[in-house]
Structure formats: C-alpha cells, structure tokens
Amino acid sequence: MNTAKMQAIVLTKYGSPSNLQLQEVAVPTPKENEILIRVIASTVTKADTMMRRADPFISRFFLGFFKPKNPVTGTGFAGKVVATGTGVTHFAIGDEVFGETGVQFGANAEYISLAEDAVVLKKPAGIPFEEAATITDGPLTSINFLKNLAKLQPGQKVLINGASGSLGTAAVQIAKHYGAVVTGVASGRNAELVRSLGADHFIDYTTTDFTQAGRTYDVIYDTIGNRTFSETKGVLAPTGSYISPVMGFRLFIDMLLTSRGDGKKAKFSATGLLSADELKPLIAELLQIFEAGHLRSVVDKRYTLADAPEAHRYVDTGHKRGNVVLMLAPKMAG
C-alpha cells in the first residue's frame, strides 16, 4: 500500500475559487499499463473555471451531480516520468512528457498517473515545460475546430473572435499556417500581440462591431462564445461556417437548423471528449507546426500550485492574454 503523500488542488464543492484548497493526498500508484508523472507545469483554463462552477449545469451529469467525482482539478500538464507499470512499453523513467487528463482531471498536483495509451506524448526538447503544458488546451481545440470542423483552406478568410486568449492566440497562428487570411478581434490593448502572431487585420471590439464592418468571412471562429450564429451570419460567406467551442442552448438550436443543405453552418465539437486515437494525430501535427516555427505559446501569468485559486480568479476576469500556468517548485519538479 502506497503511503506517500503529495500536494494537490482539490475542489471541495462547485462554485467560487475559494472552494479550491491545497490539500495533501495520496500519490497515485501506477497500474500495470500506467506511468507516474511528476508534474512540472499545469494549466488553468477557461474550461477549468467553467467546470469549477459546473457550467453549464448539464455538465454535472459527467462531472458529478452534487459534487466533483474527481475533485483534483486540472487537465493540461507537462512533466517527467518517474515510475512505470510492468506492462508499459512506450515510456521509460526520465522521459519528458506532456498531455491532458480529460474528465479524469488531476493535473493540478505534484503527480498524476495515466495509461500509456492516454493523451500523453513525449515532449520535444525544444519546447519548455510551461509551453508544452498549454498545447492540449488552446492549440489542440483550435486545430480541431479549424481543420476538422471548418476544413480551412489556403486563401480563405477567417475571423477569430477572442484572438488574444488561449484559443485565439493559437488559432491566429494555426490559421496562418494553413494559408488563411486572418482577422483577429480583441481589445485595442492586444492589437500588437495579435498582429505579432500573424493576423492580417485587427478589429478592436471596443470601437467596432465586426458584424457591421462590411467584410465577409468563410469562417468565424468565436473562441469566447459571446456572439451568436444569428448575429454573425450576415458577414458569413454563402457556404461559411460559424464555429464555437462554447456550447449553449442557442448554438445547439442553430446547429440543428443548419445541419442540412449547403448553406451557412453553425458547428461545435467537444474536443476534450474525443478519444486519444483522434487527438494524438492532431497533437502530432501541432508539434510539427511548433518545430517549424509557425506556432508559439503565449504565457500570460505563472502561479505556484498553492496560488491556484488566484489563478482561477484571474481567468474569471476574462482578460487573460494567452495562457495561465501553474509552475511547481523546483524541488518538486526536479
């Protein structure tokens, strides 16, 4: 029986960041097909804050109805393999890895244990741990939406609403990599950042409504979900797509109404619920884009594990630029 302890962020009940507590819990023991990873960096994302609140309410049906059934928070991580099960063949102690835990959560902790066929990959030496931890959030969601949902083609015009966030900063770069003409929408203070990532055009939403600006787009990627298909369809090309990772009742209805025919479409995908076999090829492509120098991770703020509640509060403001990362102390991460 393993009696070793570790520190982890535990969500005691749904609601505010004050419900996140730094607790001492048991270090997981890897099963025959699992690897034990010492976490060096993990992420706090908008999706994490939504799951903290059980928002939307329907999420309680898989998160736990009355309280989280997997209370240690966090999904994205990067770290080092420190132990392996007897049946593991693809990883060895000392391997630097990154990935995501999905609805198992548990990444905001000193250690996690995952099956070797889960969403975990070896980290290229040229990508820092803090950047690798973010790959399975904004970049993975955005490549799924732009490649699989929008089927983005060279020369197409794409508008990215929320271009300065985790999904948006990745989407600008991925869309440019695919040869699209990119318009980024964010507040004016983020104009330089968005343009530096490759955006051809920039719209300051505080002064200009992109739905009234006179341009049309083949793809509108609403990363923050604050506009609707109905509001944007006037600036969509005849066969254009409105895509958003923020599911709500309105988007659900719009998807049903536009599911047939060849006209304008509203589309959604729950990237985090896709299988490892579906996600790993997308991550492999992302690594190629990283290594080609066409994609970089924007890290806005770094917090310690103990400061996870403060990290959640910052993400809740809606003003983060790129990614928020929890960095574990060197003595834990060595």
Side-chain angles (χ1 to χ4, degrees):
M1 181 177 178
N2 185 8
T3 60
K5 299 291 184 180
M6 67 175 184
Q7 291 189 317
I9 297 299
V10 175
L11 180 61
T12 57
K13 62 181 179 179
Y14 296 124
S16 75
S18 62
N19 296 333
L20 297 164
Q21 295 182 3
L22 182 67
Q23 295 185 5
E24 197 171 72
V25 301
V27 174
T29 300
K31 299 176 182 177
E32 182 180 359
N33 68 329
E34 291 183 343
I35 58 175
L36 182 66
I37 301 161
R38 177 180 290 150
V39 178
I40 293 175
S42 62
T43 56
V44 174
T45 69
K46 181 179 179 181
D48 289 329
T49 66
M50 293 176 68
M51 289 182 281
R52 186 198 75 228
R53 300 188 301 269
D55 176 24
F57 187 85
I58 195 173
S59 65
R60 290 175 182 253
F61 288 96
F62 62 89
L63 296 177
F65 199 82
F66 296 106
K67 64 179 181 178
K69 59 184 178 182
N70 294 317
V72 178
T73 59
T75 56
F77 69 88
K80 295 182 181 180
V81 177
V82 294
T84 62
T86 57
V88 170
T89 59
H90 294 103
F91 296 94
I93 292 173
D95 283 347
E96 297 181 347
V97 297
F98 74 99
E100 69 150 11
T101 61
V103 294
Q104 176 182 335
F105 303 107
N108 296 158
E110 292 181 339
Y111 296 90
I112 52 172
S113 187
L114 289 173
E116 69 169 339
D117 61 356
V119 183
V120 55
L121 299 90
K122 292 180 181 178
K123 181 185 77 67
I127 301 179
F129 285 100
E130 63 180 38
E131 293 193 22
T134 72
I135 291 174
T136 54
D137 178 39
L140 182 56
T141 299
S142 291
I143 195 172
N144 178 42
F145 272 73
L146 293 173
K147 180 178 182 177
N148 292 342
L149 264 69
K151 303 190 183 305
L152 191 63
Q153 300 297 316
Q156 286 190 319
K157 297 176 182 178
V158 57
L159 179 139
I160 299 164
N161 187 33
S164 60
S166 174
L167 277 70
T169 53
V172 169
Q173 297 173 85
I174 293 168
K176 285 302 295 180
H177 175 78
Y178 287 151
V181 179
V182 178
T183 297
V185 179
S187 67
R189 73 184 185 94
N190 293 314
E192 184 178 350
L193 168 64
V194 174
R195 289 194 176 104
S196 75
L197 297 173
D200 300 283
H201 308 284
F202 179 83
I203 295 176
D204 180 352
Y205 75 83
T206 67
T207 61
T208 305
D209 181 348
F210 72 82
T211 68
Q212 307 297 320
R215 295 175 182 164
T216 58
Y217 304 94
D218 300 290
V219 177
I220 293 176
Y221 180 25
D222 186 0
T223 71
I224 51 180
N226 68 349
R227 305 304 298 261
T228 66
F229 171 74
S230 297
E231 290 173 333
T232 62
K233 65 182 181 181
V235 292
L236 273 176
T239 58
S241 297
Y242 167 89
I243 57 177
S244 177
V246 184
M247 173 54 80
F249 181 73
R250 182 67 257 174
L251 177 56
F252 177 73
I253 295 300
D254 288 334
M255 288 171 59
L256 291 178
L257 294 176
T258 63
S259 60
R260 296 186 178 183
D262 297 324
K264 303 174 184 182
K265 304 283 188 181
K267 299 180 181 180
F268 166 83
S269 171
T271 304
L273 298 182
L274 297 178
S275 70
D277 288 342
E278 293 172 296
L279 293 176
K280 283 183 175 180
L282 292 174
I283 298 172
E285 184 171 347
L286 284 172
L287 291 179
Q288 293 176 353
I289 300 173
F290 261 100
E291 293 173 336
H294 296 169
L295 181 61
R296 65 181 175 91
S297 175
V298 177
V299 177
D300 184 1
K301 288 183 180 290
R302 301 162 182 82
Y303 295 86
T304 66
L305 184 63
D307 287 332
E310 188 60 31
H312 272 250
R313 291 186 185 96
Y314 179 63
V315 175
D316 279 344
T317 67
H319 297 305
K320 71 180 177 71
R321 293 157 52 98
N323 300 276
V324 171
V325 179
L326 302 181
M327 300 297 296
L328 278 72
K331 65 179 180 180
M332 302 171 187

